[in-house]
Amino acid sequence: MSHTSYTALTRDQIAERAAQDIPDGAYVNLGIGLPTKIAQYLPDDKEVFLHSENGLLAFGPPPAKGEEDPELINAGKEYVTMLDGGSFFHHGDSFAMMRGGHIDICALGAFQVAANGDLANWSTGAEDAIPAVGGAMDLAVGAKKVFVMTNHTTKTGDPKIVSKLTYPVTGKNCVDRIYTDLCVIDVTDKGLAVTEMVDGMSFTDLQALTGAPLINATK
Amino acid sequence: MSHTSYTALTRDQIAERAAQDIPDGAYVNLGIGLPTKIAQYLPDDKEVFLHSENGLLAFGPPPAKGEEDPELINAGKEYVTMLDGGSFFHHGDSFAMMRGGHIDICALGAFQVAANGDLANWSTGAEDAIPAVGGAMDLAVGAKKVFVMTNHTTKTGDPKIVSKLTYPVTGKNCVDRIYTDLCVIDVTDKGLAVTEMVDGMSFTDLQALTGAPLINATK
Amino acid sequence: MINKAEKSITDVLSQIKDGATIMIGGFGTAGQPAELIDGLINLGVKDLVIINNNAGNGDHGLAKLLKTGAVRKIICSFPRQSDSWVFDELYRAGKIELELVPQGNLACRIQAAGMGLGAVYTPTGFGTLLAEGKETRHIDGKDYVLEYPIKADFALIKASKGDRWGNLVYRKSARNFGPIMAMAADVTIAQVSEIVDLGELDPEHIVTPGIFVQHVVQIQPASTEPASDESTSTAATA
Amino acid sequence: MINKAEKSITDVLSQIKDGATIMIGGFGTAGQPAELIDGLINLGVKDLVIINNNAGNGDHGLAKLLKTGAVRKIICSFPRQSDSWVFDELYRAGKIELELVPQGNLACRIQAAGMGLGAVYTPTGFGTLLAEGKETRHIDGKDYVLEYPIKADFALIKASKGDRWGNLVYRKSARNFGPIMAMAADVTIAQVSEIVDLGELDPEHIVTPGIFVQHVVQIQPASTEPASDESTSTAATA
């Protein structure tokens, strides 16, 4: 297979790209790992409210060294701070925010995304794996928009965007947009619509790296 | 029908009698009307926590004249005060206390009580009546013990304690004890057990004023 | 900058259209958003569905709204009161629909909506007229009635203090339905006695986080000055 | 005089017997009632069912409890962590039963227990392995799974301050499961950093009203003094 010459986005660049689509005033939950990086790229002229499942709204950047508080952590168990106007609440209210449709956007990592928006990100289904799910299923069904952030393929080059999940599902028909190191894809009723590709990427090559039919919706 | 000579309890005396059965540390909801009077007869050496459905725990006696606060009222819309150690909460938590079995005792008025503990106190079923239920059904199913306080008969002499309700039910099998102006009755698996009668009352006469079979359990 | 503090009750209520479902906070008059209700009356919208614990008292507030004929249906637990004559007359004349709900079911159905639940099995009302025709189930030795969420297009509530992000704290028994209604409505409009600067409300003490509140209007405390049209609300300075 | 303040962790925990179902607060270590867990380990009860968000970290606290073999089953949302080796080993050896519950379902099932609901329809987990075999229902255009309450004999939680009536306030993200677990257990035991006089906690700021709390134990802040047997708890003076 011949490749055109393109440069994949770094993890930080994926986060930076996704951050551009977070509107002013949005209530946003950032999943553990890559999605968390979005916080670093939110522009200063916007007020975005970060929610953490363990009972924080409007938390801020990590504390200065030496000022860490073991009772002020986010869902990833990282130290955070609170912004003026932030609030604490219990797990019941926190998941009411998620399940009840009050979170505008959540950004999640993925093992696989299917063409219909099914998401797999909690279990590889491996026999000996210890399962763990946390709040992923709540975010998948509850957030108004679900953004997925992922490398376009696995380390071994297998597509992560597929016609049908082979990994156990986290949430059905829940993904709205996919940010990969190669492109941005909207999950639409008509299928997976590619709206942006990295410089040098051709639609044909992108399709070859993808396990489901794509629609070219780039301008 | 010949009567022995007895003196029925006043409303205050019924409340005073019921108050004796409220143990130290009990969480208690007092219904509107006669049950509210219990508060006046709770002994000073006990700490009893009064709950009001509109979001108060450990409220206290009425305020001094001129110190009424329109935002500090009980379920009967009467002015109250708060004790040190009292708390405010929303309706969700307030009814979780009731429905969730956290209230030890509620005292309610009644139109009728049936031999199996069915309670009618929200509607006479009259055709033109405007219905209203409030929190009565929640207390009936939720409180650990339901005390009923009522005159033994209606103003026209009809029994209020009956074999089967003729008025619409508030809660099924929910009443534990009945305090009337004539006696105290425990609702048991075997039937209505009279544990106390007013001075001068005979069991035969009490039975004649009652629409359901009584068991004489007086000592 | 996100600023949910609004200057004009008239402006903020203008998004409410005929046929809207509206939750109104309050238990009796405690926590009743009187100025917002007056604004709703002035707005002149019709065919409303109102959710409130009661059905109005006397001739003002909710009762006045009912009297204008704007309300098609009311969902409440305790309509009949000594001073509920406006509702009583409409009800007897068949001019208003009543859905009578036990107070705790009203609360937990509102909570179910806010929490995103599809339905709940509640013990309250089992075997009563208010559960007639409803699905029931015996679970773990006890009987329950299946009840569905109560959602609303708007919630009009009263709080004590708010900030420009919509965070709210309440005062005493005026809290009642406010926090759970704010969670169950698409758009929550809170009237407050004071809009404070961001950060003035302690994050440990905030009862309703701003995520549940879309608009906050400060109501000028009653004064002896003659009221002009806009004088019931003042600009937020936060 | 009602005094829920207890002097000795050992005494207050002694009511817990083999086979008990116990909720333990905390999200990671924030809000984890470390001293109560140590007390539970020292108590030596067996055959426990534990409800917690996680399944222990490192070799102390909940992980240490698991390691003693005292836990028959754990109900949690996120057992697998980089330092969950104690649980991992027990699970792989088939020595502990796991009920994996999405975190929000864990929360709302605990809430359902506290609220006295028989069951709830939740959208979370629909169509996934975690809903296999569970009843489902399509309501108003959306799919839901029927989930039942999670109750407990005991809840062990950590709060910041408490009083002799059991009123509690929490600190920052240590609040997490504490308030809802307190509502769902027959007996709630709270460890606090400080027991204050009645009335010192503002009634507007109390997060868990005392009705949900049966015992409060003050944990002495870590000091450089050598620890004696009872030194982790001090007498309440309220």
Side-chain angles (χ1 to χ4, degrees):
Chain A
M1 196 163 67
S2 81
H3 280 297
T4 47
S5 168
Y6 61 84
T7 308
L9 300 185
T10 63
R11 285 165 59 84
D12 278 90
Q13 286 172 320
I14 300 173
E16 190 174 5
R17 175 61 195 86
Q20 292 171 18
D21 292 349
I22 312 274
D24 201 17
Y27 291 90
V28 178
N29 185 298
L30 302 176
I32 298 173
L34 176 51
T36 299
K37 281 183 173 287
I38 286 182
Q40 302 165 32
Y41 294 100
L42 293 169
D44 286 340
D45 62 341
K46 286 184 188 168
E47 287 188 335
V48 168
F49 305 107
L50 296 180
H51 169 266
S52 187
E53 67 194 24
N54 56 322
L56 310 180
L57 190 64
F59 66 88
K65 194 148 188 184
E67 296 188 6
E68 299 87 353
D69 182 338
E71 294 189 333
L72 187 47
I73 58 173
N74 66 14
K77 276 118 187 167
E78 300 162 323
Y79 297 116
V80 295
T81 52
M82 291 299 280
L83 303 181
D84 277 353
S87 54
F88 300 113
F89 34 83
H90 61 54
H91 251 76
D93 284 344
S94 187
F95 279 80
M97 292 178 190
M98 293 156 72
R99 194 193 311 108
H102 308 281
I103 301 287
D104 295 306
I105 295 169
C106 78
L108 295 170
F111 295 147
Q112 290 181 328
V113 181
N116 66 347
D118 285 358
L119 170 67
N121 78 347
W122 76 279
S123 165
T124 58
E127 284 252 336
D128 66 334
I130 309 277
V133 62
M137 289 182 179
D138 300 278
L139 285 166
V141 300
K144 284 181 198 153
K145 277 190 195 295
V146 175
F147 288 177
V148 160
M149 300 167 67
T150 177
N151 281 335
H152 203 84
T153 60
T154 66
K155 282 175 190 164
T156 55
D158 293 321
K160 298 184 78 168
I161 299 167
V162 294
S163 289
K164 204 161 176 267
L165 300 182
T166 58
Y167 288 156
V169 66
T170 301
K172 288 181 165 273
N173 302 101
C174 62
V175 177
D176 294 280
R177 188 172 289 174
I178 310 166
Y179 299 88
T180 79
D181 52 341
L182 303 183
C183 65
V184 178
I185 299 174
D186 278 344
V187 181
T188 75
D189 291 344
K190 294 176 181 164
L192 300 173
V194 178
T195 57
E196 295 173 32
M197 296 185 290
V198 292
D199 284 345
M201 171 61 75
S202 78
F203 183 75
T204 312
D205 285 350
L206 186 68
Q207 179 65 75
L209 293 167
T210 309
L214 299 176
I215 299 164
N216 191 342
T218 55
K219 284 157 210 159
Chain B
M1 194 163 70
S2 79
H3 279 295
T4 46
S5 166
Y6 62 82
T7 309
L9 301 184
T10 63
R11 285 165 59 83
D12 279 90
Q13 286 172 320
I14 300 174
E16 190 174 6
R17 174 61 194 88
Q20 293 171 17
D21 292 347
I22 311 273
D24 199 17
Y27 291 90
V28 178
N29 185 298
L30 302 177
I32 298 173
L34 177 51
T36 299
K37 282 185 172 284
I38 286 181
Q40 301 166 33
Y41 294 101
L42 293 169
D44 287 340
D45 62 341
K46 286 183 189 170
E47 287 187 336
V48 168
F49 305 106
L50 296 181
H51 170 267
S52 187
E53 66 194 24
N54 56 324
L56 310 179
L57 189 64
F59 67 87
K65 196 151 187 180
E67 297 188 6
E68 298 87 353
D69 183 338
E71 293 189 334
L72 187 47
I73 58 173
N74 65 15
K77 277 118 184 167
E78 299 161 325
Y79 297 117
V80 295
T81 52
M82 290 300 281
L83 303 181
D84 277 351
S87 54
F88 300 114
F89 34 84
H90 62 53
H91 252 73
D93 284 346
S94 187
F95 279 81
M97 293 178 189
M98 294 157 71
R99 193 193 310 109
H102 307 281
I103 302 286
D104 295 306
I105 295 168
C106 78
L108 296 170
F111 295 148
Q112 290 180 328
V113 182
N116 67 349
D118 285 359
L119 169 67
N121 77 347
W122 75 280
S123 165
T124 59
E127 284 250 339
D128 67 334
I130 309 275
V133 61
M137 289 184 180
D138 299 278
L139 285 167
V141 300
K144 284 181 197 155
K145 278 191 195 292
V146 175
F147 289 177
V148 160
M149 300 168 66
T150 178
N151 282 335
H152 202 84
T153 60
T154 67
K155 282 174 189 165
T156 57
D158 292 321
K160 298 184 78 167
I161 299 166
V162 294
S163 287
K164 206 158 175 270
L165 299 183
T166 58
Y167 288 157
V169 66
T170 301
K172 289 182 164 273
N173 302 101
C174 63
V175 177
D176 294 281
R177 188 173 289 175
I178 310 167
Y179 299 87
T180 80
D181 53 340
L182 304 183
C183 65
V184 178
I185 298 175
D186 278 342
V187 181
T188 74
D189 291 345
K190 293 177 182 164
L192 299 173
V194 178
T195 56
E196 294 174 33
M197 295 185 291
V198 291
D199 284 346
M201 171 61 75
S202 78
F203 182 75
T204 312
D205 285 351
L206 185 68
Q207 179 65 74
L209 293 166
T210 309
L214 299 176
I215 298 165
N216 190 343
T218 55
K219 282 153 212 160
Chain C
M1 194 182 88
I2 298 303
N3 189 1
K4 299 180 181 180
E6 308 286 344
K7 297 183 182 185
S8 155
I9 284 184
T10 310
D11 288 352
V12 74
L13 292 181
S14 65
Q15 61 189 307
I16 301 180
K17 305 298 177 194
D18 288 355
T21 296
I22 305 175
M23 292 178 173
I24 299 181
F27 182 90
T29 54
Q32 189 175 89
E35 283 78 3
L36 289 177
I37 296 171
D38 284 345
L40 192 60
I41 294 166
N42 293 336
L43 188 63
V45 287
K46 295 195 164 21
D47 198 28
L48 303 177
V49 176
I50 297 291
I51 296 132
N52 183 261
N53 188 58
N54 304 107
N57 304 79
D59 290 301
H60 43 266
L62 181 52
K64 189 172 171 193
L65 179 68
L66 296 186
K67 199 164 190 173
T68 64
V71 180
R72 174 173 68 77
K73 176 179 175 179
I74 188 157
I75 303 176
C76 70
S77 88
F78 211 82
R80 185 193 63 225
Q81 297 187 273
S82 57
D83 57 354
S84 62
W85 52 77
V86 172
F87 170 81
D88 297 358
E89 192 171 313
L90 289 167
Y91 181 76
R92 290 214 166 92
K95 288 182 178 166
I96 192 165
E97 188 183 337
L98 168 67
E99 181 178 344
L100 187 70
V101 181
Q103 196 173 161
N105 285 357
L106 189 63
C108 86
R109 290 174 63 188
I110 292 169
Q111 287 184 287
M115 294 167 74
L117 300 177
V120 299
Y121 284 103
T122 166
T124 303
F126 177 83
T128 74
L129 286 176
L130 299 187
E132 264 190 340
K134 296 192 175 184
E135 195 177 328
T136 62
R137 191 178 288 212
H138 194 76
I139 300 170
D140 205 13
K142 200 165 168 177
D143 291 304
Y144 297 87
V145 183
L146 186 65
E147 292 281 4
Y148 292 90
I150 300 178
K151 297 170 189 167
D153 302 312
F154 297 91
L156 308 183
I157 64 172
K158 180 185 182 182
S160 166
K161 294 181 187 179
D163 64 27
R164 69 176 173 86
W165 282 359
N167 295 303
L168 301 177
V169 296
Y170 300 83
R171 187 172 172 276
K172 302 185 178 181
S173 65
R175 187 183 304 196
N176 60 68
F177 282 95
I180 63 173
M181 286 181 169
M183 296 172 73
D186 289 340
V187 176
T188 293
I189 302 168
Q191 68 170 65
V192 298
S193 305
E194 190 185 355
I195 293 181
V196 299
D197 284 343
L198 214 56
E200 270 193 48
L201 301 178
D202 186 326
E204 302 281 8
H205 302 160
I206 288 170
V207 173
T208 296
I211 190 171
F212 299 125
V213 178
Q214 282 64 48
H215 305 283
V216 180
V217 191
Q218 180 172 313
I219 303 298
Q220 207 162 48
S223 77
T224 50
E225 299 290 314
S228 78
D229 219 356
E230 284 298 316
S231 74
T232 51
S233 84
T234 57
T237 53
Chain D
M1 193 183 87
I2 299 303
N3 189 1
K4 299 181 181 180
E6 309 286 343
K7 297 186 184 184
S8 155
I9 285 184
T10 309
D11 288 352
V12 75
L13 291 181
S14 65
Q15 61 189 307
I16 301 180
K17 306 297 179 195
D18 287 356
T21 296
I22 306 174
M23 292 176 173
I24 300 181
F27 182 90
T29 54
Q32 189 176 88
E35 283 78 2
L36 290 176
I37 296 172
D38 284 346
L40 191 60
I41 293 167
N42 293 337
L43 188 64
V45 286
K46 293 193 166 25
D47 200 29
L48 303 177
V49 176
I50 297 293
I51 297 132
N52 182 262
N53 188 58
N54 304 107
N57 303 78
D59 290 301
H60 43 265
L62 181 51
K64 189 174 170 191
L65 179 68
L66 296 186
K67 198 163 188 174
T68 65
V71 180
R72 174 172 68 77
K73 176 180 176 180
I74 188 157
I75 303 175
C76 70
S77 88
F78 211 83
R80 184 193 63 225
Q81 296 188 275
S82 58
D83 57 354
S84 63
W85 51 76
V86 172
F87 170 80
D88 296 0
E89 191 172 314
L90 288 167
Y91 181 75
R92 291 213 165 92
K95 288 183 177 164
I96 192 165
E97 189 183 338
L98 167 68
E99 182 177 346
L100 187 70
V101 181
Q103 196 173 162
N105 284 357
L106 188 64
C108 87
R109 291 175 63 188
I110 292 169
Q111 287 185 287
M115 294 167 74
L117 300 177
V120 299
Y121 284 103
T122 166
T124 303
F126 177 83
T128 73
L129 286 175
L130 300 187
E132 264 191 341
K134 296 190 174 182
E135 196 175 327
T136 62
R137 191 178 289 212
H138 194 75
I139 301 169
D140 205 13
K142 200 165 168 177
D143 292 303
Y144 296 88
V145 183
L146 186 65
E147 292 281 3
Y148 293 90
I150 299 178
K151 298 172 189 165
D153 301 312
F154 297 91
L156 308 183
I157 64 172
K158 180 184 182 182
S160 166
K161 294 180 186 180
D163 64 28
R164 69 176 172 86
W165 281 0
N167 294 304
L168 301 177
V169 296
Y170 301 83
R171 188 173 171 276
K172 302 187 178 180
S173 65
R175 187 184 302 196
N176 60 70
F177 283 94
I180 63 174
M181 286 182 169
M183 297 172 72
D186 289 340
V187 175
T188 293
I189 303 168
Q191 67 170 63
V192 298
S193 305
E194 190 185 355
I195 292 181
V196 299
D197 284 343
L198 215 56
E200 270 194 47
L201 301 178
D202 187 325
E204 303 281 9
H205 301 160
I206 288 170
V207 174
T208 296
I211 190 171
F212 298 125
V213 179
Q214 282 64 47
H215 306 282
V216 180
V217 190
Q218 180 171 313
I219 304 298
Q220 207 162 49
S223 77
T224 51
E225 299 290 312
S228 78
D229 220 356
E230 283 297 316
S231 72
T232 51
S233 85
T234 56
T237 52

